[in-house]
Structure formats: C-alpha cells, structure tokens
Amino acid sequence: MPIFRQICSMVLSLKGSRWEGWFWALPLLAVIGPVLLAVSLTCQVPKADHWFVVGDPYLGFLQDGSFGNFLHSPGNDSRHDAARILHWLVVRLTDWNLVVESLVCVGLGLVSCAMVLSLWRRSHPGSWGTRWLLGGFSVVLLLSPMQWMNWTWGVQICYMLVIAASVGVVWVFERGWPLWLRTLVAGGFAVVAAFSFINGWLAWGLGGVLLFWELIKRRGRGGEGWTALGLWGLMFGVTLWVFVSGWPEEKALSGSESGMSMEKAEKVVVFFVRLLGAPFAEGWPTLDRELRSQLVFALSSVVGVFSLVLLLVVGWKLWAKLRRGEVEVGQMGPWLLLCGWGLANAAAISLARVDSPGFLPFQSRYPAYTLWFYIGLFGLLAMVMTGPGSRWLRWVGRGWFLFLVWGWGVGAVQGWRDGVKDARSCGLLEASVSLRQVVVEPLLLDSVDPGSGLRIGKALDELDAAGVLSVATVRSSLVAEATMAPEGMFQGKLVKGELEGSGVSIEGWAMEKASRDAARSVVISIEQAGVPERWLGIVTRRKREAKVAKKVDARAMEDRIGWAYVPMTGEERVAVSGAKLTLQRAPLPSGEATFRAYAFDPRTGVFSRLDGSVTLPLP
C-alpha cells in the first residue's frame, strides 16, 4: 500500500505547519449537506410546535406590543427566551423566511462542531492522527442528514441553541483564561441553555463539575476557586428565580406527572436503550417500510446495549490506567462530561416521552442530544486502546467503530429520503394554508396546528396581514378568478373518479415539467349546471405511479407523482400526534357535477389545469 503510506505521510507532515488549522477545519465542510436540506426541503408554513414557540407569542406581540411577553411566555415545559431572540430577528428582518430560520439551526450546529473539533485538537491526549480522525467523524455525525428535522424545521433553534450553549460550557473551561473569566463566560452559556429548552439546565451541572475539579486541583489553596464556585451558584440562583417567576400554575414543569411503576420503569429502560442506539440502527438502505421498521427496532436495542457495555469496559480500563498513572483525570474530564451529558439527555427524553408512540425514539431530532454520548465514548476509548493488554479491546473498538460508520452512512441516506418525503407532505400543508379562505381540508389544515380548530384560520390571516406568511393566499372560491400558470409549466391528468360512500374518490397524476418532480399539490374543482366552477378540495394522498413515471421521465422519489382525493370516514387522525380532527369539509351538493383537477403551487398561488375530467351523479 505505498500510495496509502504516502498519503498518510503527507497528512502527518501538516502537523505543526501553517496549514494545520485549515486541515482541522476540513470536516466542517460537511455542513454543505444540512445547508442543502435547509434550502430545498424547508416547509414554508409554520406547523405544530412552531405555534407555541413562535407563532402564538408573536401574534400576542402584534396585539399588545409587549416584547417581554413574547420572549418570556412559557412553552409546554420550557422557557425559550434565548431561542426566541433568534426567532425574533428572523421574523423582523426577513418577514419570517422559514428557510433562513432553518439555516440558523444549521449555523448553531456548525458552532457546536467547531467547539468539539477544538476539544479534540487541544484537549485529548491521543495521537495527532487519531484525534483528527475521531474529531472529523464526530463532526460528520453531528451534521448528518440523519438529523434532517433539525435542518429543515426552524423551530428546532431551541434544540440546537441548547446544544451549542451546553458544549460551550465545556469548551470555555478548557481554555487557558483566568478562572473568574471562564466562570462568567460559561455562566452566560448556561443561562442561554436554560432559556432555550428545559434540558438546558444540565449545563449548570456540567459547569459545576468542572469547577469542583478546579477546587480539587488546587487542593483547597487560594480563594479564586471558592470565589468562582460562589459566583456560579449565584448565577444559577438568579437564573432559576427568573425562570420560575410568573410560571402559570396550570403548566407542569415536567413532561410526566404519573408515578413510576415497575411496568413503566421497564418501558423507560427499553425506550432509553432504543433512543441511544437509534442514530446507528438503519441497517440497510431499504425502501420497504415494514423491513425498515423491523431493522431499526432490533438494531437500536443491540447498538444501545453494546455501547453501554463497552462504556463499562472502557471505564474499568481507565480506572486501571488511572491507578498506574498512565492517564490523568483532567485528560478524561471533557469526554466523561460529554458522555454523561448524552446519557442524561437520553434519560430525560425517555422519562418525558415514554408514553408516546413507539416510533418516537427514532425521530430525527433526538440524535442531536444522544450523539454526544458516542463522541464522549470515542474520546475515552481512544485513551485505553494503547498499551499492554489492550489488543482485544482495540479489535472490539475498531469493529464497533466500523459498524457505527456503516450505520451513519445508511442513516444519512435514509434521513435524506425522509426529508424529501416530509417536504412532499409539506406541499399539501402549504396548499391547505394558501386555500384556507376558500377550501377547508381538515386532514391538512388540522395538522398545521393540531387541536386549534377554527382558530388556525384566524391566526394565519393575522400573520398574512402582518406580512410574515410565506405562501400566497387565495381569496376567491371561483376558478375563473384564479391565477393560471404559463402554458407547459405542469403536466398531468385526472385519470378516474367514482362515487364512494357519501363522497367522491378522484385519482390522477401531476408533475412539474422543469424539475420532472411531483407537483407540490393538486386541487379539485366542481362545476354544476347554472353554477360557476369553484374549488372543492385538496388532494390528501400521494401515490406511486411507476408506469406513468417511466413514460413521462419523472424524477420523483419512489415514482410518487400520483395523487388521490378521497372521502373522509370520520376516523382520520392528525399526523404524528394522533389527535382527532376538529375541522370539517364543506358538504357536497346534490345532482350531476363535473370534477376537474388543477396542479397548484401554493408559494406563488398559480394553478394549471390537468387533462381529463369526470362527471358523476351526486345523491
């Protein structure tokens, strides 16, 4: 392998050169992936958590003009003051451009990666090459498309900010600054973490441990250590007082109020193990949903349990090395803290979400927290893979690491696919918001803000009036008054329609000619004798149309250029939350009616009639 050795020699020659810093920054180029996801897949309407974090508080500000209430009003179980400052800037400076909001999340992720790279470069005792390799892998993990939800949903600013601030606490204490300055700066980071999301309070624990270690190193000599600890306690107390002041009595400060039974404890353990192993549980890049579900449920438990056992083995080896004087506690400190922080986050999420649906441990937002367990474990493992008696551990560690690399690669592919699927669904959500004044599509509009009922229409109208709604608003129910797209912009056809139960079922396909991708949405119209053609509803399902897709050279993932408008059964539920629908479709008229289909771009508000129509006798 002479070429490989030459490459390694060339890389190692960078150590100590003027190019070393640039070489260490190379892994940060992985940010290109999240940037592309944010720009191309961000939904253009606020949805779900967006409302209680940003939407509702901002509407309150528009009504009473109180910036303080906007910042300090509590969420479900957290205060988001620090995150809302960033949201405020996005809303005011960009008219709430949701792509910019997603890019803020990406920027915060990049800051976290830069700090962890600095820790690998300056605070780990391993060899230069090992530190760069593990530091680089840490970065590509943290910036992976497996976390697509954190890169395409701007409300995740509260997640990404608490992570950047918490890592900042560890990073600051590793600097060579005076202790009082490190305490003040780290305290500022801890305040930001606590006012971003509820688990940001763990940052105070990170800083407290590091300050106690400073006292131990000084062996009680000198007053600077005690002064710093007192300052830390004072900042913590003030932050806690501000946090709880004015907290509504009806809001709980924890995610679960029920007791802990043996059965629930078992569920928590299972949830915890799966959550921990989830980032690497995608065993194969399959499109088969059932097979994929079976793989992630099985492999997440295996990866989680094995990694915890490996942590115990590494801990035992580190203790032996510590007793022999081969490693110092200070060298282990940052990695022990990151590892413990990742475990604490996983435990907190498990306790708060254990009663949620079984798929929740695999949501793409959670690796932002749990991956820090692995980054800390990388650092600890690298300390024990050298020396006598470590050969077997080296082989085990390398095998585990290669498995994680495979899981990361497959997870990145599957995460990108999931992001594309979500964006495809977002096209329908955007259409329901754009057409809210003329067509109410419950399955879609109820998913924008689950459980809000008729209030969501009024809230969207207020955002539109304030100029911060990023989709066009259609104000007329008449097709003749709609804005039509230029000829040739869309291609598609209404293929069939029939009576089904108390409604109609209509199917077809549609795509954009320029991108060869599926149309963002399709709207159904109805026309009767003596009554002008008007909008009836929005399609709610995407369908695979392999033969048609091949014939027209479509490039939609899984050939999903097909669509379907189906009658409602009354059993439908809001996506993800499972809540009952609170809105209703307008009733169908009676008599003979002709139905047509129009491709619709909610971002520009233009329609394009598709080929075909169907005439049905309505009861």
Side-chain angles (χ1 to χ4, degrees):
M1 300 285 288
I3 296 179
F4 179 73
R5 283 196 292 269
Q6 288 178 9
I7 293 174
C8 291
S9 177
M10 182 179 66
V11 169
L12 290 174
S13 68
L14 295 172
K15 181 181 179 181
S17 72
R18 63 191 179 98
W19 300 105
E20 180 181 1
W22 290 104
F23 184 69
W24 271 92
L26 275 179
L28 296 177
L29 290 176
V31 76
I32 293 173
V35 168
L36 292 176
L37 285 169
V39 170
S40 60
L41 303 182
T42 294
C43 187
Q44 291 297 317
V45 294
K47 58 178 181 175
D49 293 359
H50 244 133
W51 286 96
F52 69 77
V53 175
V54 189
D56 291 336
Y58 188 71
L59 289 175
F61 165 77
L62 292 178
Q63 292 170 3
D64 61 26
S66 174
F67 182 65
N69 287 340
F70 168 80
L71 283 186
H72 202 52
S73 59
N76 283 347
D77 55 5
S78 307
R79 289 201 188 272
H80 307 291
D81 303 41
R84 280 183 181 146
I85 291 174
L86 296 179
H87 284 295
W88 172 266
L89 292 173
V90 171
V91 172
R92 302 298 284 188
L93 297 178
T94 71
D95 294 330
W96 205 358
N97 186 313
L98 296 176
V99 171
V100 173
E101 198 177 53
S102 294
L103 288 173
V104 171
C105 291
V106 175
L108 292 170
L110 185 63
V111 169
S112 300
C113 289
M115 288 189 289
V116 80
L117 263 185
S118 175
L119 289 173
W120 277 107
R121 185 181 180 186
R122 304 180 187 281
S123 302
H124 195 279
S127 67
W128 189 84
T130 297
R131 286 184 283 128
W132 186 86
L133 177 65
L134 292 177
F137 187 54
S138 300
V139 168
V140 297
L141 281 180
L142 293 171
L143 295 176
S144 170
M146 77 168 73
Q147 293 192 60
W148 62 269
M149 190 180 289
N150 292 327
W151 313 134
T152 64
W153 194 20
V155 74
Q156 297 300 102
I157 284 177
C158 60
Y159 268 42
M160 305 312 295
L161 184 57
V162 75
I163 291 164
S166 299
V167 176
V169 170
V170 179
W171 178 80
V172 165
F173 274 108
E174 288 297 305
R175 312 304 291 173
W177 307 337
L179 184 57
W180 66 268
L181 180 59
R182 283 183 284 162
T183 303
L184 277 176
V185 177
F189 276 126
V191 170
V192 170
F195 283 97
S196 296
F197 205 70
I198 188 66
N199 60 342
W201 287 96
L202 292 173
W204 292 98
L206 294 175
V209 171
L210 289 166
L211 277 172
F212 272 115
W213 174 242
E214 288 287 342
L215 284 175
I216 293 172
K217 284 196 300 184
R218 296 162 188 262
R219 292 180 172 82
R221 296 193 301 271
E224 188 181 14
W226 289 108
T227 301
L229 190 61
L231 179 60
W232 189 258
L234 176 62
M235 288 190 293
F236 173 80
V238 171
T239 303
L240 181 61
W241 177 76
V242 174
F243 188 94
V244 300
S245 295
W247 188 274
E249 293 183 4
E250 66 273 13
K251 282 183 174 285
L253 277 170
S254 62
S256 176
E257 298 178 358
S258 57
M260 180 64 71
S261 64
M262 181 59 70
E263 181 182 3
K264 186 170 183 178
E266 292 175 0
K267 289 182 179 179
V268 170
V269 171
V270 172
F271 193 105
F272 173 80
V273 169
R274 286 177 175 168
L275 182 66
L276 208 59
F280 306 100
E282 298 278 7
W284 192 254
T286 178
L287 293 173
D288 186 309
R289 294 183 182 183
E290 185 175 351
L291 175 59
R292 183 183 177 188
S293 178
Q294 292 172 351
L295 280 173
V296 295
F297 271 91
L299 286 179
S300 62
S301 299
V302 172
V303 174
V305 170
F306 186 86
S307 299
L308 289 171
V309 172
L310 184 60
L311 175 63
L312 294 176
V313 173
V314 168
W316 169 66
K317 295 285 289 184
L318 278 173
W319 176 251
K321 280 181 168 285
L322 191 63
R323 294 182 63 183
R324 294 196 299 267
E326 297 175 6
V327 67
E328 298 178 6
V329 175
Q331 294 173 328
M332 299 187 300
W335 314 104
L336 282 171
L337 286 174
L338 292 179
C339 190
W341 182 55
L343 288 174
N345 277 309
I349 295 169
S350 300
L351 288 169
R353 302 287 185 255
V354 66
D355 294 323
S356 302
F359 63 82
L360 203 70
F362 310 106
Q363 277 198 342
S364 66
R365 53 181 167 178
Y366 291 136
Y369 289 131
T370 55
L371 282 173
W372 294 97
F373 160 72
Y374 293 93
I375 293 171
L377 187 51
F378 293 161
L380 298 175
L381 184 61
M383 295 181 195
V384 299
M385 289 178 63
T386 57
S390 299
R391 183 177 180 182
W392 66 273
L393 187 56
R394 282 196 294 272
W395 283 107
V396 170
R398 288 167 182 167
W400 174 75
F401 184 77
L402 288 174
F403 181 84
L404 296 189
V405 171
W406 171 261
W408 158 76
V410 177
V413 172
Q414 297 290 64
W416 196 287
R417 288 174 174 170
D418 289 343
V420 172
K421 291 178 183 178
D422 182 75
R424 194 164 55 199
S425 299
C426 279
L428 303 181
L429 286 184
E430 291 169 8
S432 72
V433 171
S434 182
L435 289 158
R436 66 191 180 279
Q437 295 184 0
V438 298
V439 170
V440 174
E441 193 56 61
L443 196 59
L444 301 174
L445 201 55
D446 253 325
S447 297
V448 174
D449 186 12
S452 62
L454 295 174
R455 185 188 70 84
I456 184 59
K458 181 175 182 293
L460 289 166
D461 287 344
E462 291 177 2
L463 291 180
D464 191 23
V468 293
L469 194 62
S470 297
V471 295
T473 296
V474 177
R475 306 185 189 280
S476 174
S477 62
L478 299 180
V479 175
E481 297 180 2
T483 303
M484 292 296 164
E487 187 73 24
M489 185 173 177
F490 293 94
Q491 180 180 358
K493 184 177 182 179
L494 188 159
V495 176
K496 68 176 183 178
E498 59 187 4
L499 297 177
E500 185 177 319
S502 59
V504 295
S505 175
I506 303 173
E507 298 180 8
W509 62 273
M511 74 174 189
E512 296 180 1
K513 280 192 174 181
S515 66
R516 318 302 296 176
D517 201 355
R520 294 197 66 81
S521 64
V522 174
V523 187
I524 305 299
S525 73
I526 183 173
E527 183 178 14
Q528 292 180 290
V531 181
E533 185 181 9
R534 64 192 186 281
W535 301 120
L536 173 68
I538 306 165
V539 304
T540 56
R541 293 183 185 176
R542 302 282 194 179
K543 293 177 53 188
R544 187 177 184 186
E545 292 286 353
K547 291 182 179 179
V548 176
K550 183 177 181 181
K551 183 178 180 180
V552 300
D553 191 28
R555 299 172 186 170
M557 191 173 70
E558 298 178 315
D559 297 328
R560 290 189 179 273
I561 61 172
W563 50 261
Y565 177 80
V566 297
M568 296 184 66
T569 64
E571 300 299 321
E572 290 86 358
R573 294 289 186 272
V574 176
V576 181
S577 71
K580 290 185 177 181
L581 301 183
T582 57
L583 300 171
Q584 293 182 344
R585 279 180 180 172
L588 283 171
S590 58
E592 190 173 80
T594 298
F595 299 90
R596 300 183 182 90
Y598 292 78
F600 177 54
D601 184 349
R603 300 182 181 184
T604 60
V606 299
F607 297 82
S608 179
R609 183 178 166 183
L610 305 178
D611 295 337
S613 63
V614 62
T615 300
L616 299 171
L618 301 178

